Amino acid sequence: MPKVFVTRIIPDAGINKLTRAGYEVHLNPEDRVLQKDELIGLLEKERYDAVLALLTDKLDKDIFKAAGPQCKIFSNMAVGFDNVDLDAAKEMQIMVSNTPGVLTDTVAEHTFALLLAIAHRISEADNFTRAGKYHGWEPMMLLGSDVSKKTLGIIGLGRIGSRVAYHARKGFDMNVIYYDVKRSEDFEREFGATFSSDVEGVLKAADFVSIHVPLMEQTRHLINAERLKLMKKSAYLINTSRGPIIDEKALAGALKSGIIRGAALDVFEAEPKVEPELLKLNNVILTPHIASATEETRDKMAELAAFNIIEALEGRTPPNLVK
Ligand code: DGY
């Protein structure tokens, strides 16, 4: 019976899919990220045919070596795969897959939740009310910023970026300006959107900037101190992609000195750490990498990660191989 190792407790939907397919599933019994040497130890102890891993597992050559030649696939339960050394996987002839598509709506919803929350100062207002500071309606209390008819800047027009643009245009009548390495005239026609051939053009024009690029060497610190200075003083920055795309120290400085008005982040440069200066600020909302965290979506992610394994072990090409 083929054996699958799952690096952490995931929704039953994924485990059941594997057991129904006739596989023996071994689960990390502890609900925490395994240290590299722990994962290596577990992979060396038993011969696994596949590993279902998470974005918190750093998958490098040592891990692939420990898994040995019997292991066909590492199935990452995430759309992002910056935790995987793809060159090493290729060298070791191990397939790597991800879970795109099933989390698009949920991440786009969370992005919009953050955007609305920072513009309408929801966290601040909630804290204010709970602290007993609300003593009656005031004309100047907790003034935020409108969203409708403003300009949304999208950096990275993949599935999630496009879906955020859809909500912006259809729900809030926003103007959309975007940057991507690939221009989409269909998207421009459908959403009345404007293409910018560089990131700078988006930063200068937008009232809200939302980041949707994958983390790669070229996108690390894409948003740095110089680029933050290009944004409007009244603008907000939202990030639900990967933390290292923003220089967090530079962002904290820009928020503190009023270079931009606010930010909302679901991801951080050195997760689970958060830049301490950000924690002191009221004009930033921080959520703990939960943009895809709904029951429905996490079930679908687990099922898709399992499906990629089944396809690989049955000798078919998994639908979500990453190159
Ligand atoms: C992903 O899938 O890459 C998200 O960051 C986690 O949901």
Side-chain angles (χ1 to χ4, degrees):
M1 187 187 270
K3 282 191 210 155
V4 179
F5 183 70
V6 180
T7 63
R8 188 155 183 185
I9 296 168
I10 59 162
D12 286 344
I15 306 290
N16 293 342
K17 204 172 174 73
L18 291 168
T19 50
R20 273 199 307 269
Y23 304 150
E24 188 177 315
V25 178
H26 293 202
L27 190 59
N28 167 10
E30 300 191 51
D31 194 15
R32 64 170 176 81
V33 179
L34 292 167
Q35 297 296 311
K36 182 173 176 176
D37 55 339
E38 292 177 307
L39 181 54
I40 287 179
L42 286 163
L43 293 178
E44 280 175 347
K45 210 161 90 198
E46 295 251 6
R47 290 296 76 183
Y48 290 104
D49 300 278
V51 176
L52 194 156
L54 305 179
L55 61 89
T56 39
D57 300 312
K58 298 279 167 261
L59 304 178
D60 61 14
K61 196 166 178 176
D62 301 334
I63 302 285
F64 298 137
K65 261 196 191 148
Q70 177 167 340
C71 187
K72 301 271 171 314
I73 182 167
F74 273 69
S75 173
N76 212 34
M77 196 184 107
V79 65
F81 46 85
D82 46 282
N83 57 313
V84 188
D85 181 341
L86 290 181
D87 292 335
K90 200 169 167 192
E91 196 187 317
M92 309 289 293
Q93 298 186 324
I94 286 184
M95 289 182 261
V96 175
S97 59
N98 68 342
T99 59
V102 291
L103 46 68
T104 303
D105 278 339
T106 308
V107 176
E109 281 176 16
H110 193 81
T111 305
F112 236 89
L114 288 176
L115 188 155
L116 291 170
I118 191 66
H120 285 264
R121 302 176 67 172
I122 300 294
S123 301
E124 255 187 287
D126 181 73
N127 290 337
F128 179 91
T129 310
R130 287 171 198 270
K133 292 183 183 166
Y134 179 43
H135 303 302
W137 187 88
E138 288 179 37
M140 303 304 284
M141 184 171 67
L142 286 164
L143 301 184
S145 169
D146 278 337
V147 169
S148 296
K149 300 189 174 62
K150 295 277 179 74
T151 297
L152 173 69
I154 298 277
I155 298 183
L157 194 74
R159 291 183 183 85
I160 297 169
S162 307
R163 192 65 183 161
V164 171
Y166 169 91
H167 291 310
R169 188 70 192 160
K170 306 278 182 193
F172 295 89
D173 207 8
M174 294 178 86
N175 302 306
V176 175
I177 179 166
Y178 75 101
Y179 164 76
D180 194 277
V181 283
K182 234 168 66 201
R183 181 171 181 176
S184 167
E185 287 176 12
D186 287 348
F187 171 80
E188 288 164 36
R189 262 190 302 279
E190 190 175 349
F191 294 99
T194 307
F195 174 68
S196 167
S197 58
D198 53 29
V199 171
E200 285 75 7
V202 173
L203 296 176
K204 285 180 194 160
D207 300 301
F208 297 88
V209 174
S210 192
I211 313 283
H212 300 286
V213 288
L215 176 62
M216 303 178 292
E217 264 334 289
Q218 305 91 292
T219 59
R220 194 173 290 276
H221 283 193
L222 182 74
I223 305 298
N224 55 23
E226 289 82 71
R227 286 200 166 126
L228 285 163
K229 283 191 202 130
L230 300 175
M231 291 176 69
K232 298 179 185 177
K233 270 188 173 339
S234 56
Y236 299 87
L237 182 64
I238 294 106
N239 189 13
T240 52
S241 58
R242 284 293 182 265
I245 290 164
I246 297 179
D247 177 342
E248 240 169 53
K249 268 196 193 315
L251 175 62
L255 289 167
K256 213 155 47 176
S257 58
I259 285 173
I260 64 169
R261 182 159 181 195
L265 310 174
D266 184 54
V267 284
F268 305 95
E269 234 187 297
E271 291 182 17
K273 291 192 194 116
V274 178
E275 162 59 42
E277 290 304 308
L278 286 176
L279 297 172
K280 297 181 194 158
L281 300 171
N282 276 332
N283 55 345
V284 60
I285 292 179
L286 311 165
T287 57
H289 206 150
I290 54 161
S292 69
T294 63
E295 286 176 11
E296 299 92 325
T297 290
R298 287 288 161 86
D299 277 358
K300 287 183 205 153
M301 289 168 72
E303 277 179 323
L304 186 52
F307 184 62
N308 282 314
I309 288 176
I310 294 168
E311 292 303 276
L313 297 191
E314 300 300 322
R316 295 183 288 267
T317 306
N320 309 113
L321 276 188
V322 291
K323 307 266 178 331

